[in-house]
Amino acid sequence: MTEKVALVTGAANGIGKATAKRLARDGIAIGVLDLLEDGAAAVAGEIEQSGGKAIALAADVSDRESVQAALARLRDAFGPVTIVVNNAGITGFVPFLELTDEDWDRMLAVNLKSAFIVTQEIIPDMIAAGWGRIVNISSSSAQSGAVKMAHYSSSKGGMIALTRTLAQEFGEHNITCNAVPPRFVHNTAMSNESFEREDMKERFQAMVDAGPIRRHGEPEDIAGAVAWLVSDEAGYVTGQVIGVNGGRYI
Ligand SMILES: NC(=O)c1ccc[n+]([C@@H]2O[C@H](COP(=O)([O-])OP(=O)(O)OC[C@H]3O[C@@H](n4cnc5c(N)ncnc54)[C@H](O)[C@@H]3O)[C@@H](O)[C@H]2O)c1
């Protein structure tokens, strides 16, 4: 079997890190992309120590030239890229009336324009291979809305619309595109930062108590779903929004 090559963005921490490690365990060579060079190198090192293949790629997903340079390194190392997990993201809590143009533009650039850039740069490899898998990490806030997160939830809603559109535009090339919108996933840099906020602790505990499965998500919960979506088995699944959220939507 020809070895598959995946780019996982935001892979120095949390969900991206767990996903990079999970896909590597399935025999996929991984481009571990992150703004954080040391973090990406550490994850690539962990994968190699476990017998997998990985290369650390320091890049900014909102910057096309930076993405192009990273992809050139990944292709040099392992060949054409036919799997992408658009996971890199930032969050923020700002009341709607206080949001600035800069807040909005930065959020949309990192969380949504990034997926446009990264995916557009990779799809030609997928078309040439006649096979491809795109997974976009959205957020349940795109489905439920989230107070003080208009910029964040809007960027994540865009990920769902982009997912459904790419599924239709590239399905004829045997390329699938699906979205995973997590709810609250524990033990990530992003969620640890939020969890520390005094005004959020009660809300997070209430979310656990209200959910059918009474625990927070772990990064590995998301990674497992992504691993299935990028597998050959999931070839007839496209344009879908797969909630990995313990049954919680609100
Ligand atoms: N943790 C949650 O509860 C949760 C819930 C819903 C959605 N999500 C989404 O899941 C994804 C991963 O979240 P996480 O909790 O693992 O976050 P995290 O902060 O642990 O990891 C995100 C990674 O993205 C990287 N990154 C940020 N901006 C970047 C850029 N411009 N270029 C390259 N890399 C960049 C960060 O350095 C970091 O390593 C995000 O898109 C997030 O919005 C997370």
Side-chain angles (χ1 to χ4, degrees):
M1 201 174 88
T2 316
E3 184 175 77
K4 292 191 173 111
V5 180
L7 180 75
V8 182
T9 71
N13 283 297
I15 294 168
K17 176 179 174 177
T19 301
K21 291 171 76 171
R22 177 68 174 79
L23 300 193
R25 262 189 14 232
D26 289 347
I28 299 168
I30 311 291
V32 178
L33 186 150
D34 207 286
L35 261 186
L36 306 174
E37 193 167 2
D38 290 350
V43 173
E46 280 183 46
I47 290 172
E48 284 179 330
Q49 278 195 337
S50 311
K53 284 192 179 173
I55 181 173
L57 304 166
D60 178 348
V61 286
S62 65
D63 180 308
R64 189 175 289 272
E65 282 183 12
S66 177
V67 169
Q68 285 171 335
L71 282 170
R73 290 189 56 216
L74 179 55
R75 291 185 180 111
D76 276 354
F78 300 131
V81 184
T82 56
I83 299 171
V84 60
V85 183
N86 287 306
N87 165 80
I90 54 174
T91 191
F93 300 87
V94 184
F96 181 69
L97 293 178
E98 292 170 24
L99 270 176
T100 64
D101 288 0
E102 289 72 30
D103 293 334
W104 182 271
D105 290 346
R106 180 75 191 137
M107 189 66 78
L108 272 286
V110 176
N111 286 6
L112 180 59
K113 188 181 179 193
S114 58
F116 156 62
I117 293 173
V118 170
T119 310
Q120 197 180 49
E121 292 293 332
I122 291 178
I123 279 186
D125 283 8
M126 299 180 178
I127 292 174
W131 190 95
R133 296 283 186 267
I134 303 161
V135 180
N136 293 325
I137 305 300
S138 173
S139 160
S140 67
S141 65
Q143 300 160 306
S144 63
V147 172
K148 297 184 189 170
M149 298 182 87
H151 52 341
Y152 179 81
S153 59
S154 299
S155 71
K156 294 299 186 176
M159 286 291 256
I160 292 175
L162 180 67
T163 297
R164 295 209 159 114
T165 299
L166 295 182
Q168 291 178 37
E169 204 163 327
F170 294 101
E172 66 178 303
H173 298 284
N174 205 20
I175 296 170
T176 68
C177 182
N178 294 286
V180 177
R183 183 63 176 161
F184 185 75
V185 177
H186 220 37
N187 292 327
T188 78
M190 184 185 284
S191 58
N192 287 343
E193 198 178 299
S194 308
F195 201 70
E196 290 310 310
R197 289 162 49 106
E198 278 309 315
D199 58 327
M200 302 296 272
K201 281 186 179 166
E202 220 172 286
R203 192 174 138 199
F204 287 139
Q205 191 53 49
M207 277 165 43
V208 170
D209 296 342
I213 296 179
R214 288 189 171 70
R215 65 170 176 83
H216 289 310
E218 299 293 338
E220 290 72 20
D221 291 318
I222 310 301
V226 174
W228 179 69
L229 286 171
V230 307
S231 72
D232 282 318
E233 275 185 324
Y236 201 53
V237 178
T238 195
Q240 301 305 305
V241 179
I242 311 287
V244 184
N245 54 22
R248 287 192 304 268
Y249 290 94
I250 298 168

